[in-house]
Amino acid sequence: MALTMNDVDRFEASRPRLAAIAYRLLGSASDAEDAVQETFLRWQAADVDRVEVPEAWLTKVLTNLCLNQLTSARARRETYVGQWLPEPLLAGDPMLGPADTAEQRESVSYAVLAVLERLSPGERAVYVLREAFACPHREIAEILDLTEAACQQIYHRAKKHVAAGKARTEVDEDAARRIVEEFLAAATSGRTEPLVRLLTQDAVSIGDGGGKVPARAKAFEGALAVAKFLRGLFKPSEAKRALVGGSPEVYATTANGGPALVAVLDGRVVGVMCLEVTAEGIAGFRNQVNPDKLERATERWAATDHGEPLLRSAF
């Protein structure tokens, strides 16, 4: 059944919201775009005149497509080389979705997206729809074919699991830049002590190279271990320059709402380091260097004004 322009407009009005939901569910911008496009194809094939509430119908279709994707993704991630981390989204990316409340901002933070990986697909869907998009339990229950009571129980269980992974303090862009500048100064000092002072005792550093860029399969844990790794990471070497193809410039920005460092070489983003900041210090570093997960970041970078680099020669 052919869509009218009005039908297409109704879908397009929902596209940003659908993309934001899909990204939170899948942790991948490219997979999220595929899910939104498949939702459009389902909309195109439906008898849309009989759809009373288009946004609810589209949300249900998209969510169930994402649930199917998550089920197959779990099997793929069992064979993934090294640590799996979500695809980072740089400041201003529309796929980040709403950021009016603390809950909405937290739901797309890199730390929380990583924790969501531990939930079942159903728990993840309930948490995202409720926490980030304030969907009533009744509506979520209809989307997932659950009872309202079951939906509430799943939400409370999921929220409990996620609580430990939430960023424990919020920072604005100015504060994020100051944090990143202080960290970078310590990381390039060639000494471990200044870094240790910035970290929490239980600090963790995780890297995702996807088997395409070297990244340690096991996380670094503890302030001293993380500090030693970071000191080495920013130490100049011919081997690193040969691996990357040069010496990237490093910029301060935000990714997924939190402070981040972006390494850029010849206009291409080659690494995004997301910092998890707490009142006690920096608690986590999640380093995305898998080139497949940096294509959108590169596109976003090229389209924005990012100012001067903090470091003109990373190594």
Side-chain angles (χ1 to χ4, degrees):
M1 194 171 179
L3 294 180
T4 66
M5 284 305 299
N6 184 54
D7 296 330
V8 173
D9 288 343
R10 286 197 290 174
F11 179 85
E12 291 302 325
S14 293
R15 183 184 286 274
R17 181 176 182 272
L18 296 174
I21 292 172
Y23 172 70
R24 283 166 167 81
L25 288 176
L26 301 174
S28 163
S30 57
D31 287 346
E33 288 175 338
D34 289 344
V36 172
Q37 184 59 26
E38 180 61 29
T39 302
F40 175 73
L41 295 177
R42 302 287 179 94
W43 176 249
Q44 194 174 38
D47 184 357
V48 296
D49 290 337
R50 300 183 63 182
V51 176
E52 294 181 6
V53 186
E55 188 173 84
W57 188 94
L58 292 167
T59 301
K60 179 166 185 171
V61 170
L62 175 90
T63 301
N64 282 287
L65 286 169
C66 289
L67 288 176
N68 292 337
Q69 175 80 358
L70 281 171
T71 301
S72 61
R74 287 193 162 216
R76 291 200 309 274
R77 286 170 196 169
E78 287 177 4
T79 60
Y80 191 82
V81 179
Q83 298 276 349
W84 188 96
L85 290 174
E87 182 176 346
L89 298 183
L90 300 185
D93 193 310
M95 199 174 278
L96 288 169
D100 299 326
T101 67
E103 291 77 14
Q104 289 171 336
R105 292 188 291 274
E106 284 177 341
S107 72
V108 79
S109 75
Y110 217 55
V112 168
L113 286 178
V115 174
L116 289 179
E117 285 294 308
R118 304 175 201 164
L119 303 182
S120 71
E123 288 173 332
R124 187 165 182 161
V126 170
Y127 179 85
V128 166
L129 291 171
R130 179 64 179 170
E131 196 79 352
F133 297 91
C135 292
H137 284 297
R138 173 185 50 76
E139 184 179 324
I140 301 172
E142 290 174 359
I143 289 171
L144 299 176
D145 294 323
L146 298 169
T147 65
E148 190 171 343
C151 183
Q152 290 173 330
Q153 289 177 348
I154 291 171
Y155 170 68
H156 289 303
R157 186 167 64 242
K159 191 170 184 179
K160 200 172 184 181
H161 284 309
V162 172
K166 282 187 177 180
R168 284 163 271 179
T169 186
E170 286 196 74
V171 293
D172 59 27
E173 287 197 35
D174 289 338
R177 184 177 179 86
R178 289 195 299 273
I179 291 164
V180 169
E181 287 175 345
E182 187 177 3
F183 160 71
L184 192 59
T188 56
S189 69
R191 296 164 52 229
T192 303
E193 295 78 8
L195 276 167
V196 171
R197 287 196 292 270
L198 290 177
L199 308 179
T200 62
Q201 286 303 305
D202 60 351
V204 175
S205 179
I206 303 170
D208 178 351
K212 300 188 176 184
V213 174
R216 180 180 157 109
K218 187 178 178 183
F220 291 92
E221 299 181 355
L224 184 58
V226 171
K228 287 180 176 179
F229 161 68
L230 293 170
R231 183 192 64 189
L233 182 65
F234 286 93
K235 185 177 181 180
S237 88
E238 287 295 335
K240 291 175 193 168
R241 285 191 285 272
L243 179 66
V244 179
S247 189
E249 295 179 329
V250 177
Y251 295 80
T253 186
T254 59
N256 292 76
L261 286 172
V262 176
V264 182
L265 181 65
D266 298 330
R268 177 172 54 94
V269 174
V270 295
V272 176
M273 175 184 282
C274 298
L275 282 64
E276 182 185 352
V277 178
T278 75
E280 295 78 35
I282 304 173
F285 299 86
R286 290 175 173 83
N287 313 310
Q288 185 56 262
V289 292
N290 182 346
D292 293 343
K293 297 183 181 181
L294 295 173
E295 291 178 0
R296 187 180 179 93
T298 295
E299 291 173 6
R300 180 74 193 166
W301 191 257
T304 57
D305 178 18
H306 29 72
E308 292 298 311
L310 291 181
L311 188 63
R312 291 194 176 277
S313 181
F315 37 74

